[in-house]
């Protein structure tokens, strides 16, 4: 069952402007070390940050809160599998909210997709609840 869905569109040039103006202050407030390392290694640094910004916004919407009620930017973070597929991680209050949303006997799975086409970066997050597998009776 779907527990939440969120989407966000970020302007890469706006994120570049914020990076130029606030630099590490912005990076350290919003992005985890893993996200910063990934972004700084990329050719399109601002585009990579913009996609992660959009993912955090989309995740907060999928959690049904937006960026309020105690959710911090770093409570949501994006990493990538070896295949390149993005993965959303939640900690802190975002994890607490996810646990509250998840029905008993289910586990939450967060799906995230990122894309960009300059000057836009887009993210979509879908939170799904899957039944926890239980071993059947032995025969």
């Amino acid at each position: 069952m779907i527990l939440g869905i969120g989407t966000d569109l970020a302007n890469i040039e706006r994120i570049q402007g914020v990076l130029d103006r606030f630099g590490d202050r912005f990076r350290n407030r919003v992005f985890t070390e893993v996200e910063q390392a990934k972004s700084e290694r990329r050719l399109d640094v601002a585009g990579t940050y913009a996609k992660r910004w959009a993912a955090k916004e989309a995740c907060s919407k999928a959690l049904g809160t937006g960026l309020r009620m105690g959710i911090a930017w770093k409570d949501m973070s994006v990493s990538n599998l070896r295949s390149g597929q993005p993965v959303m991680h939640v900690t802190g209050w975002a994890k607490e909210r996810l646990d509250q949303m998840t029905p008993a006997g289910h586990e939450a799975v967060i799906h995230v997709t990122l894309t960009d086409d300059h000057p836009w970066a887009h993210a979509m997050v879908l939170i799904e609840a899957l039944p926890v597998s239980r071993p059947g009776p032995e025969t």
Side-chain angles (χ1 to χ4, degrees), residues 18-84:
V18 174
L19 287 166
D20 292 344
R21 184 169 179 200
F22 297 105
D24 286 342
R25 189 170 136 207
F26 171 66
R27 284 182 195 90
N28 294 331
R29 179 174 176 240
V30 175
F31 301 100
T32 64
E33 289 180 13
V34 169
E35 291 172 312
Q36 290 181 47
K38 172 77 172 185
S39 297
E40 295 297 328
R41 283 194 311 265
R42 301 299 300 257
L43 218 45
D44 183 11
V45 172
T48 305
Y49 277 121
K51 286 186 278 189
R52 278 149 180 74
W53 170 278
K56 290 168 187 271
E57 287 275 6
C59 184
S60 72
K61 293 170 185 175
L63 289 168
T65 62
L67 284 161
R68 59 182 177 86
M69 297 176 59
I71 289 184
W73 286 104
K74 288 185 178 181
D75 285 349
M76 302 164 288
S77 66
V78 178
S79 66
N80 295 83
L81 299 177
R82 291 174 70 80
S83 65

Side-chain angles (χ1 to χ4, degrees), residues 81-103:
L81 299 177
R82 291 174 70 80
S83 65
Q85 177 184 347
V87 179
M88 177 65 70
H89 307 275
V90 292
T91 59
W93 198 89
K95 174 73 168 117
E96 290 176 26
R97 173 68 181 143
L98 181 63
D99 291 344
Q100 292 169 357
M101 295 171 60
T102 306

